[in-house]
Amino acid sequence: MAASTAAGKQRIPKVAKVKNKAPAEVQITAEQLLREAKERELELLPPPPQQKITDEEELNDYKLRKRKTFEDNIRKNRTVISNWIKYAQWEESLKEIQRARSIYERALDVDYRNITLWLKYAEMEMKNRQVNHARNIWDRAITTLPRVNQFWYKYTYMEEMLGNIAGARQVFERWMEWQPEEQAWHSYINFELRYKEVDRARTIYERFVLVHPDVKNWIKYARFEEKHAYFAHARKVYERAVEFFGDEHMDEHLYVAFAKFEENQKEFERVRVIYKYALDRISKQDAQELFKNYTIFEKKFGDRRGIEDIIVSKRRFQYEEEVKANPHNYDAWFDYLRLVESDAEAEAVREVYERAIANVPPIQEKRHWKRYIYLWINYALYEELEAKFTFAKMWILYAQFEIRQKNLSLARRALGTSIGKCPKNKLFKVYIELELQLREFDRCRKLYEKFLEFGPENCTSWIKFAELETILGDIDRARAIYELAISQPRLDMPEVLWKSYIDFEIEQEETERTRNLYRRLLQRTQHVKVWISFAQFELSSGKEGSLAKCRQIYEEANKTMRNCEEKEERLMLLESWRSFEEEFGTASDKERVDKLMPEKVKKRRKVQTDDGSDAGWEEYFDYIFPEDAANQPNLKLLAMAKLWKKQQQEKEDAEHHPDEDVDESES
């Protein structure tokens, strides 16, 4: 027992005693130990030995071991996608494409949301020229994850590189259905422009500005049209943008871009209108850039009046800010009104007066009302002395007040009295509108008769009267009104009246009456648009012989317009005739019209100023028609000149290449 105890004591190691327990002067941290170990490469493992494979059996053994390693790694942690990718890439390096596909498919079953996995999978197929497999993968990717833009970009790029333009366009269309970010739309537009498909790009822009309705995108659309020289389209885009954003979401950058576009087109009056329109509606703090560009424009192209307008606009903005800050500051309103009375139109002045008098004093104290009353006094004096106002508006407001009080008889009496004392178009229109709403059609007829006695030259009133009778089913009465209207000695818009009468007869399917109306109109005017409209009517009548009648009208118009000084109108007629023959005529008919087309020649003429002095020469284009007997010598001279020029060109070519002629003669 004593021996075992002694042996146990010997096994217990002795603990070293630390004599100095004070901290060491140099402290060593764990980070320092790790860094020193890395520097000394204490844990550096030797690289595995290189293995040379000499036969197929060793290769298969090597493959088996590697696959087992990869499968073990995947089994340990299936969610580590890098293991799957390494496995698939190893199989791909061995040209085992089918196995690599299987690995990628298994990986997608584990995590189909992994973007890198889809990209590596598709890149493998493209690298091995498996186009249909790559298409299939991209198609699955964009169907599964349609919001990943990278898939769409690579899919469209692949189709474009393969020359499959229609396929790329189809992918882009599928992408656009998801309404992606702005860059995607620009990529689609640039794709179409690379293949000169301007019309398709325009259609994409139309959808783009509706999906992403930002000011910058509308401006890009307009600049696209301007870049391709479609200036009318660009102007239309800017106008649509202004209408789209309205007064609530106005942005100075849109108007600056619009104005600069018009400035590039030398439309300086349009530029002024745009700047003034914007400055009247945008607050001063949001229009600093607008003011700056307007000032620069007037300094470049304006006169003294234009610069004064800018100063007035700035003062108007100052007054607007003052009255917005304190609407009951009547002194600011007086200053503002004096400014607009000296410069603005009557409607603008009335608008400011209406805004001013709407700010009624909040308390019943004379010192506040004393200033307010002068707004009304000045308003009345302005209407009496400056605008020559007949107070038609007061009659209308009074009648509307009586209607709100359900006193219809008093409202009618007020409007009738106003027409008797101060007949105005507005009073008649309001009275007729009231009776129409009440379905008192006999009263409407009497009012229209009075209205036309007051202003028989007003074509709009005649048309509205006839339309009323048409709605009521009294066709003969409507026709009689039109006949009476066109017989008036003086009309403000006769072309509108005649068009309305012709449209009325067409709606009634009165072909012969419509034809007679055209003939009567042609007795008054020989305008080319009337002839073209007449021909189009005959063509659209759909009756037997309509093509022959249409062709006959074109021939008659051409004969009539031979003596017309406006050659552009005659050319317009012939172009319309040619379009008709291209669609409905034979080859001989088309050839016949082609022979009537004029020759476009450049001429020069002297330019004189208003005082009669010479201002040099200017070039212009003239049209020489083959049918004009007076121009036959000119045509003959022109033909001879062209023949001479051709002969000279042939002679020069012969002189430059004499050796070729010798070789040909020897052969």
Side-chain angles (χ1 to χ4, degrees), residues 389-403 410-424 426-427 430:
F389 187 35
T390 56
F391 295 100
K393 188 174 183 180
M394 296 296 292
W395 287 106
I396 294 170
L397 292 173
Y398 174 43
Q400 291 172 348
F401 164 75
E402 293 293 356
I403 291 170
L410 291 177
R412 281 177 172 151
R413 186 184 302 171
L415 290 172
T417 305
S418 67
I419 289 172
K421 290 187 175 182
C422 55
K424 291 285 181 183
K426 192 172 183 180
L427 290 171
V430 171

Side-chain angles (χ1 to χ4, degrees), residues 149-160:
N149 293 330
Q150 196 173 1
F151 293 161
W152 296 96
Y153 283 123
K154 287 186 175 290
Y155 194 2
T156 54
Y157 181 72
M158 183 192 79
E159 295 291 0
E160 188 177 359

Side-chain angles (χ1 to χ4, degrees), residues 69-263:
T69 304
F70 281 122
E71 291 291 346
D72 290 341
N73 290 336
I74 290 170
R75 198 178 301 111
K76 289 176 184 176
N77 195 343
R78 293 171 57 84
T79 58
V80 179
I81 300 300
S82 61
N83 291 337
W84 293 95
I85 294 174
K86 289 176 183 177
Y87 190 5
Q89 288 176 342
W90 179 79
E91 293 286 2
E92 181 190 357
S93 66
L94 298 177
K95 304 300 180 182
E96 295 282 353
I97 306 301
Q98 196 60 39
R99 285 180 176 273
R101 285 195 190 111
S102 176
I103 295 164
Y104 276 122
E105 292 293 340
R106 289 166 59 196
L108 289 174
D109 290 339
V110 173
D111 186 6
Y112 69 91
R113 293 182 177 276
N114 192 290
I115 297 171
T116 306
L117 195 58
W118 287 102
L119 294 174
K120 294 292 184 183
Y121 192 3
E123 285 173 5
M124 180 198 75
E125 298 290 4
M126 291 190 293
K127 193 185 301 180
N128 291 278
R129 302 181 182 276
Q130 300 294 321
V131 176
N132 289 330
H133 282 284
R135 282 198 182 107
N136 183 31
I137 294 162
W138 288 129
D139 197 68
R140 289 166 58 196
I142 61 177
T143 305
T144 308
L145 302 171
R147 291 297 179 186
V148 180
N149 293 330
Q150 196 173 1
F151 293 161
W152 296 96
Y153 283 123
K154 287 186 175 290
Y155 194 2
T156 54
Y157 181 72
M158 183 192 79
E159 295 291 0
E160 188 177 359
M161 289 297 101
L162 292 171
N164 185 13
I165 307 306
R169 185 176 290 119
Q170 188 177 6
V171 175
F172 269 120
E173 285 295 332
R174 289 174 60 188
W175 192 5
M176 296 307 111
E177 291 176 1
W178 289 93
Q179 297 184 357
E181 60 186 14
E182 295 177 6
Q183 186 56 43
W185 291 89
H186 290 309
S187 299
Y188 191 8
I189 292 166
N190 293 332
F191 163 78
E192 295 292 0
L193 291 178
R194 281 197 294 274
Y195 299 98
K196 312 300 181 185
E197 295 286 352
V198 178
D199 291 335
R200 289 180 182 271
R202 181 181 296 114
T203 306
I204 299 164
Y205 260 120
E206 287 287 343
R207 295 156 57 193
F208 174 42
V209 296
L210 296 179
V211 174
H212 295 283
D214 298 332
V215 169
K216 62 178 182 180
N217 295 332
W218 282 94
I219 294 173
K220 287 179 182 177
Y221 184 12
R223 286 176 178 167
F224 155 79
E225 296 286 7
E226 184 181 3
K227 179 181 178 181
H228 292 86
Y230 292 101
F231 301 117
H233 287 188
R235 182 175 291 114
K236 189 68 177 176
V237 170
Y238 278 120
E239 291 172 355
R240 285 173 54 200
V242 171
E243 183 180 355
F244 178 83
F245 289 103
D247 293 343
E248 297 179 359
H249 305 285
M250 296 183 72
D251 192 300
E252 64 171 344
H253 297 97
L254 174 62
Y255 292 93
V256 169
F258 193 2
K260 287 184 177 179
F261 162 75
E262 295 292 0
E263 184 179 335

Side-chain angles (χ1 to χ4, degrees), residues 42 90 97 143 174 261 479 582 613 642 666:
L42 297 177
W90 179 79
I97 306 301
T143 305
R174 289 174 60 188
F261 162 75
R479 187 175 288 118
E582 286 176 352
S613 59
K642 287 184 176 179
E666 289 176 355

Side-chain angles (χ1 to χ4, degrees), residues 534-543 546-547 550 580 583-584:
F534 191 9
Q536 295 297 328
F537 159 71
E538 291 291 0
L539 180 62
S540 62
S541 61
K543 296 186 177 181
S546 59
L547 294 178
C550 180
F580 161 74
E583 187 172 357
F584 301 102

Side-chain angles (χ1 to χ4, degrees), residues 576-588:
S576 176
W577 189 2
R578 182 166 62 180
S579 300
F580 161 74
E581 296 294 358
E582 286 176 352
E583 187 172 357
F584 301 102
T586 61
S588 59

